[in-house]
Structure formats: structure tokens, C-alpha cells
């Protein structure tokens, strides 16, 4: 089964429509607040594109703080 992930909060959803129409509390654009599709593939380790930190799942990565990110949260590298 294929899952779709939110780039901001790491939630996984089997239905793409449900993911992108749902509200995300971690979206930096509070006015719209929707989940953003993570367009990378599923991996065994996810890396932050700003600092190189590694985590075993996307949710752990995006919930962590990053000193080098403009949003102060880790962002996944594709």
C-alpha cells in the first residue's frame, strides 16, 4: 500500500486527497494551513536539507528544531 506524507508534520495518509485537503498545524503559512505533499520517496533514513540531521522517519525529522532553517524546523531533503 502506498502512503503519502505531509512535508510539514510528517503525517502519513493512504489517500492523497485526504492529505492535501486537511489542515496542518505546522504549516508556516497560517492563513491557508493545509498539509503539503512530501514529494520524495520512502526511505530508511530522512535527512534535513539545511543541517544534515538524520532520523528514521519523516515525522521525527520535521518535528525537530533546526538552527539553519528559515522556519526553525528541519526540512526533508528529497
Amino acid at each position: 500500500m502506498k502512503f503519502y506524507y505531509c512535508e510539514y508534520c510528517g503525517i502519513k495518509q493512504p489517500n492523497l486527497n485526504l492529505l492535501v485537503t486537511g489542515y496542518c498545524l505546522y504549516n508556516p503559512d497560517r492563513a491557508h494551513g493545509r498539509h503539503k505533499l512530501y514529494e520524495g520517496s520512502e526511505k530508511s533514513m530522512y535527512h534535513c536539507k539545511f543541517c544534515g540531521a538524520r532520523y528514521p522517519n519523516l515525522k521525527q525529522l520535521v518535528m525537530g528544531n533546526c538552527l539553519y532553517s528559515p522556519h526553525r524546523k528541519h526540512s526533508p531533503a528529497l
Side-chain angles (χ1 to χ4, degrees):
M1 175 181 251
K2 182 172 180 166
F3 287 101
Y4 302 95
Y5 295 86
C6 173
E7 187 173 312
Y8 297 131
C9 70
I11 190 172
K12 73 178 181 178
Q13 184 66 254
N15 184 311
L16 178 60
N17 188 41
L18 289 176
L19 177 71
V20 297
T21 58
Y23 287 98
C24 180
L25 296 175
Y26 297 95
N27 185 326
D29 183 11
R30 302 284 183 215
H32 296 107
R34 302 253 184 221
H35 291 293
K36 179 182 177 188
L37 176 64
Y38 167 66
E39 297 186 32
S41 60
E42 288 190 73
K43 302 171 180 152
S44 60
M45 291 297 278
Y46 293 88
H47 296 53
C48 174
K49 67 182 174 184
F50 295 108
C51 72
R54 299 180 324 166
Y55 289 87
N57 66 51
L58 187 60
K59 188 167 192 145
Q60 287 179 334
L61 173 72
V62 298
M63 290 297 159
N65 295 325
C66 179
L67 295 173
Y68 303 103
S69 169
H71 302 294
R72 297 295 178 217
K73 291 288 187 184
H74 292 302
S75 294
L78 298 177

